[in-house]
Amino acid sequence: MLLYTREISDPVLIQYIILFTMSEADRTVTHNQLTSLVLDRCNISFTDFSIALDNLINIGLVARYKPEPNIHIYELTEKGIEANGFFYRSIPIYIREQIVAYIAPFFREEIKKSSTRAEIIPINEQEFMVQCGIYDNKTPLMELNFYAGTRKTAAQMVRHFKEKQDEIYQTILYAMSPAEENASE
């Protein structure tokens, strides 16, 4: 699918795009998520995007919460959901299709990034270990600690774990699970 590259500067259309994107995401979103979802698929200046988002908040179509300093969470209000239902057809279909196609992979990648953690832990000045984990929200699915020796080896282990976490998890799960014939006894 080709990305629509012509700049979108119509402030009303930008507001419709924000409403449509939030409706399609069907969840609360952070400022960074909303910015990426809209600006990665539409050629809109950040300034125009910010003005449109502020206007949507001021007229009550989008609610903004600040649960922590420097964290802004956005959610469509009932009025915003109704407005999107009425105005989403004003957005050209080739723009809507790009946004819809981008949302699911975007959130899958975000979940994958936040569900895998690997870090280098110094033991002393010359020895290091690696702490790895795979999580479902905050629930650990697997946590492992490995002695790595050098910092270079630890860095390689961290990189490999982040790149291959699914394969590593499956291999360890298989190794830890009893064979089927043992399970039936």
Side-chain angles (χ1 to χ4, degrees):
M1 182 180 301
L2 291 175
L3 187 63
Y4 180 71
T5 57
R6 189 168 168 210
E7 184 173 3
I8 301 167
S9 58
D10 177 1
V12 174
L13 180 58
I14 295 169
Q15 290 177 65
Y16 294 163
I17 289 170
I18 293 170
L19 289 175
F20 177 75
T21 302
M22 291 182 70
S23 177
E24 288 298 312
D26 195 27
R27 65 184 82 194
T28 59
V29 292
T30 66
H31 188 270
N32 289 343
Q33 289 171 331
L34 183 58
T35 302
S36 293
L37 286 169
V38 173
L39 300 184
D40 287 356
R41 288 294 162 225
C42 301
N43 187 6
I44 298 171
S45 78
F46 182 76
T47 303
D48 289 343
F49 167 80
S50 296
I51 291 168
L53 181 58
D54 283 343
N55 189 49
L56 290 170
I57 292 165
N58 290 335
I59 61 176
L61 301 181
V62 172
R64 176 176 45 202
Y65 307 101
K66 192 173 181 180
E68 297 176 31
N70 301 323
I71 304 275
H72 291 247
I73 305 290
Y74 298 95
E75 177 179 47
L76 278 181
T77 63
E78 285 298 318
K79 279 176 55 179
I81 293 168
E82 289 176 25
N84 179 64
F86 189 72
F87 293 117
Y88 82 95
R89 286 191 176 98
S90 300
I91 304 167
I93 192 159
Y94 47 86
I95 294 174
R96 283 184 287 161
E97 285 176 345
Q98 288 180 25
I99 292 168
V100 169
Y102 186 58
I103 287 175
F106 175 85
F107 283 114
R108 263 195 310 276
E109 190 61 31
E110 284 236 327
I111 289 167
K112 193 172 184 179
K113 285 179 187 173
S114 68
S115 68
T116 303
R117 295 183 206 132
E119 60 183 308
I120 299 170
I121 308 293
I123 297 171
N124 57 45
E125 289 182 19
Q126 297 164 349
E127 295 179 293
F128 298 87
M129 65 181 283
V130 174
Q131 201 169 54
C132 304
I134 297 176
Y135 302 87
D136 180 14
N137 290 323
K138 294 184 180 188
T139 305
L141 301 176
M142 178 180 74
E143 293 179 318
L144 302 166
N145 293 321
F146 295 101
Y147 175 78
T150 67
R151 182 168 186 73
K152 181 179 177 184
T153 302
Q156 290 170 337
M157 291 172 77
V158 164
R159 187 173 49 256
H160 184 74
F161 184 80
K162 287 182 176 180
E163 290 171 358
K164 307 277 185 171
Q165 74 267 10
D166 292 336
E167 292 173 41
I168 293 168
Y169 179 71
Q170 292 295 330
T171 302
I172 291 173
L173 189 62
Y174 179 76
M176 296 294 295
S177 300
E180 284 188 33
E181 49 191 335
N182 291 343
S184 63
E185 292 177 3

